[in-house]
Amino acid sequence: MPIKKYKLIDYDFMLVLMVIGLTIFGIMAINSAEPGSSRKQIAGLIMGIVLMVFISLLDYVFLIKLYILFYIVNAVLLALVLSPLGSSTNGAQRWISLFGITFQPSEAAKILLILFYAQFIMKYKDRVKNFGFVLICLAFLVLPLALIAAQPDLSTCIMVMTIFCVIMFVAGINIKIVIAVLSVSIPAVLFVIYNAVQGESSFLHDYQQRRILAWLYPEDYANSEAYQTLNSMMAIGSGQLYGKGYNTNEISSVLNGGFISESPTDFIFTVIGEEFGFVGACIVVVLVLLISLECFNVSMRAKDKAGEIIAAGVGAWIGFQGFINIGVATGVIPNTGIPLPFVSYGLTSLLSSFMGIGFVLNVRLQSNKYNFGRV
């Protein structure tokens, strides 16, 4: 696996600093929410930095030639989740344990699929505007989506579909296809919401229907599905401008009162809002936005189509997933159970995100070299 030579001045240190800064912010919040978990997250930060730097110095053009292997490994890992090796929590089977290590394959699936499509589309870039090629790309997505949906994990399915749509758009598909997809997907979302409020749903799981209803009518589900979201909004609002202070021992703290479960993971933004206030929450939002935008900026400067897809795919992943998580914590969208990149507790999510940024840095280094050569 060749390690290429690059100039230090071409390294995107600003992106690195933003990612590390956001992760440190997350570790502080995790330490407040669940002190025993912060050490593991610190270890994850160190491992993540090593992975990120190592990947950034490789040659992504060489790595993505293993795209078929990436697809197979992804499918096998997702299938193992549904095997006896899989472990279940809160009615969802999303983890596997191998050699004493427990991890969540659906998080790793995002970067593996991005790498797969980067090479596949690069290889057949002359056929991108062909509707048949788009169907083939969609067909490759069916298996991983079906395995993730079987866990069940609808939120990750939506996230993977979002990444796929951004990848296809960056690949340069016919604008007529984009319009056709939007004309179908938007009414489909509205129909799902309509179906959820019409009594017994014909295709939604009970918990999925209740989550949608709790989002639309939170007061009616204040003691059940909307309990977390309402408490989250109360905690964020109580933080006011500057928050109640880091690791506060105030009796009025919603977190200290035990009213927020999953506080180190799905509702970590709630902890930040309560303890660091509006200012702290804005810092997190801005960092997520800037990291995502920088990934898209790298995509526009990439030397080839594969580099464009990798950087844009990671940018879509970090940006959309970040704002979905924040949207849940603030009651803007239904509860999805999806982590906040670089902030939520979880080594699989953290390491996968750092790997994604490593590939973006690699694309940036090679694009600088390529653009300099052109000049």
Side-chain angles (χ1 to χ4, degrees), residues 107 110-111 114 159 163 313-321 352-353 356:
E107 285 298 316
K110 296 163 189 172
I111 185 62
I114 289 171
M159 195 62 243
I163 295 172
V314 173
W317 167 18
I318 302 302
F320 282 105
Q321 183 166 316
S352 297
S353 300

Side-chain angles (χ1 to χ4, degrees), residues 82-362:
L82 305 176
S83 74
L85 292 174
S87 57
S88 178
T89 303
N90 296 328
Q93 190 160 327
R94 301 174 184 174
W95 295 263
I96 58 174
S97 297
L98 288 174
F99 311 109
I101 300 174
T102 301
F103 63 100
Q104 190 175 355
S106 60
E107 285 298 316
K110 296 163 189 172
I111 185 62
L112 290 173
L113 285 172
I114 289 171
L115 297 177
F116 167 77
Y117 281 112
Q119 176 61 16
F120 184 75
I121 292 172
M122 179 75 175
K123 189 174 181 179
Y124 301 102
K125 57 184 177 182
D126 296 334
R127 305 181 187 178
V128 170
K129 293 189 179 295
N130 189 305
F131 183 66
F133 179 77
V134 176
L135 290 178
I136 292 172
C137 289
L138 191 58
F140 277 113
L141 193 64
V142 171
L143 178 59
L145 272 183
L147 291 171
I148 293 172
Q151 295 178 4
D153 192 352
L154 180 61
S155 56
T156 300
C157 286
I158 294 172
M159 195 62 243
V160 170
M161 279 298 301
T162 301
I163 295 172
F164 174 77
C165 290
V166 171
I167 286 174
M168 297 309 297
F169 180 79
V170 172
I173 63 172
N174 194 311
I175 192 65
K176 293 180 181 178
I177 299 176
V178 176
I179 295 172
V181 170
L182 289 175
S183 64
V184 171
S185 58
I186 294 176
V189 171
L190 296 175
F191 175 75
V192 169
I193 296 174
Y194 173 78
N195 185 259
V197 300
Q198 295 300 308
E200 187 174 343
S201 175
S202 55
F203 56 88
L204 289 172
H205 290 286
D206 288 341
Y207 80 94
Q208 294 169 344
Q209 183 180 13
R210 289 196 301 271
R211 283 184 177 182
I212 293 175
L213 291 173
W215 168 57
L216 294 172
Y217 312 107
E219 294 81 8
D220 297 339
Y221 293 83
N223 295 319
S224 54
E225 278 73 17
Y227 179 80
Q228 283 284 80
T229 302
L230 290 174
N231 286 339
S232 173
M233 294 165 64
M234 184 190 307
I236 293 171
S238 69
Q240 299 185 35
L241 185 60
Y242 297 109
K244 297 176 179 177
Y246 176 59
N247 210 4
T248 180
N249 58 3
E250 280 192 24
I251 300 175
S252 61
S253 169
V254 179
L255 175 64
N256 292 343
F259 297 106
I260 300 293
S261 61
E262 310 296 337
S263 54
T265 52
D266 300 345
F267 285 90
I268 193 68
F269 189 76
T270 305
V271 180
I272 293 169
E274 182 176 61
E275 298 195 348
F276 298 98
F278 179 76
V279 172
C282 282
I283 290 173
V284 171
V285 171
V286 169
L287 282 175
V288 171
L289 177 62
L290 290 178
I291 290 170
S292 179
L293 289 177
E294 179 59 19
C295 290
F296 282 110
N297 180 47
V298 171
S299 174
M300 290 187 289
R301 299 172 58 187
K303 70 174 186 178
D304 55 24
K305 186 61 69 176
E308 288 182 42
I309 290 170
I310 290 172
V314 173
W317 167 18
I318 302 302
F320 282 105
Q321 183 166 316
F323 286 104
I324 285 175
N325 177 280
I326 294 169
V328 169
T330 53
V332 175
I333 60 176
N335 195 339
T336 59
I338 203 166
L340 181 55
F342 302 109
V343 181
S344 292
Y345 173 74
L347 291 187
T348 310
S349 174
L350 184 62
L351 294 180
S352 297
S353 300
F354 267 103
M355 288 174 64
I357 295 297
F359 279 104
V360 173
L361 291 170
N362 188 248

